[in-house]
Amino acid sequence: MSLRVLGVDPGLTRCGVGIVEVAANRVPRLVSVHTIRSASDAPLEQRLLIIARGIEALVDEFHPDAMAIERVFAQNNVRTVMGTAQVSGLALRAAAERGIPVALHTPSEVKAAVTGYGNADKKQVGAMVARLLGLAEVPKPADAADALALAICHAWRRNAPDSVAGTLGGSLTPAQRAWRDAEKSVRTPRLGG
Amino acid sequence: MSLRVLGVDPGLTRCGVGIVEVAANRVPRLVSVHTIRSASDAPLEQRLLIIARGIEALVDEFHPDAMAIERVFAQNNVRTVMGTAQVSGLALRAAAERGIPVALHTPSEVKAAVTGYGNADKKQVGAMVARLLGLAEVPKPADAADALALAICHAWRRNAPDSVAGTLGGSLTPAQRAWRDAEKSVRTPRLGG
């Protein structure tokens, strides 16, 4: 029994979409990873349509059991946050329309899940995603790596006995710490690879 | 020759949709007005799906020549701005998918267009919408009146010889002032009504 999760790192210029399968032993496997792009000089409505259709095509191709989308905050980069929010809305609608369970995770939840550290930088997240998935290289661009991290985060949190999915903030509960330690033991065999 | 415009005041709890036809003499006529609602305790993705399908059903029923959506700013009410942005993205996508020209207008553009005053309050906007459309009562809720104001604003700006559609800010150019004066003369016969 494995869980197939499609993660979306929403963006108007680059939207990362990563699909992973996570086995019962919590080891994740890469299924597919994509970056949907739209030209920054195209009209906003055309950009949204391109991104929405791209997400929907991948959902329909890979039939995930669940979707995970990065939670956008209005406090973040004001210049890009509106487009990011609009894309997240399109991804949420795509999930609802297909009856696929969907959850939002904050960047710090994702970082904490994959690196054990809620303030990890993009490079650390990318490196850990590559290690967890047994990839020779870090997925590029960062949006693609982030989408894979989201999918892994969602699968791990969903399977946790004391699920904290949906809670805010980046600090670890005792249950999260226990899982982080368990995840470290999963990762150890790969550390040399 | 008249122009049929569908205006959307995006919102997750209440999304106003107003359809008007504006004749060549710039007099607007009410076609239909709606408020799409979603329950605040429903999951976000379900709320977005309900609102999106509601907008799309009205677009497909009324076949507007153009759509106008209120431009959302990240600086506005942080608590609700993300949902508002998500709904605006769904409305923009609905327009793009159907090949319907769509424009964003700021609240101050809309207020200036219908009242001649960019800082008009909701009550003034509602009263002027009712007067312009020859309605006995102000459309309720405010979201519905705002959607009608957006549609009227769009038709007037689009038809202006010195079109300023798409520009930011609420101050009037000389051309806008001339149109405002022209609009006042259109309104005058209705003032007693």
Side-chain angles (χ1 to χ4, degrees), chain B residues 28-164:
Chain B
R29 177 179 79 78
L30 174 67
V31 176
S32 193
V33 63
H34 303 263
T35 309
I36 310 167
R37 295 167 194 272
S38 78
S40 58
D41 58 354
L44 174 61
E45 64 274 17
Q46 294 298 333
R47 303 183 73 185
L48 291 168
L49 182 59
I50 288 165
I51 302 283
R53 285 185 170 164
I55 294 170
E56 289 163 1
L58 291 169
V59 173
D60 291 338
E61 180 177 352
F62 292 102
H63 295 287
D65 302 308
M67 287 174 62
I69 304 171
E70 186 171 302
R71 188 185 290 275
V72 184
F73 291 103
Q75 291 88 341
N76 297 1
N77 189 339
V78 169
R79 201 177 60 79
T80 61
V81 74
M82 302 313 295
T84 307
Q86 289 170 328
V87 172
S88 79
L90 296 167
L92 283 161
R93 185 248 173 103
E97 200 144 47
R98 289 157 177 78
I100 300 171
V102 60
L104 300 170
H105 298 290
T106 65
S108 59
E109 285 171 343
V110 174
K111 291 170 183 174
V114 300
T115 73
Y117 178 52
N119 289 320
D121 64 23
K122 287 211 172 283
K123 205 175 156 187
Q124 291 173 300
V125 170
M128 189 55 86
V129 164
R131 184 176 292 175
L132 290 168
L133 295 173
L135 308 177
E137 291 186 3
V138 173
K140 294 272 167 53
D143 315 80
D146 285 350
L148 291 168
L150 262 160
I152 295 168
C153 165
H154 181 75
W156 282 353
R157 291 170 71 93
R158 209 184 97 136
N159 285 335
D162 176 13
S163 177
V164 291

Side-chain angles (χ1 to χ4, degrees), chain A residues 45 52 56 82 85-86 88 93, chain B residues 52 56 82 85-86 88 93 96:
Chain A
E45 63 275 18
E56 289 164 0
M82 301 314 294
Q86 289 170 327
S88 78
R93 183 249 171 103
Chain B
E56 289 163 1
M82 302 313 295
Q86 289 170 328
S88 79
R93 185 248 173 103

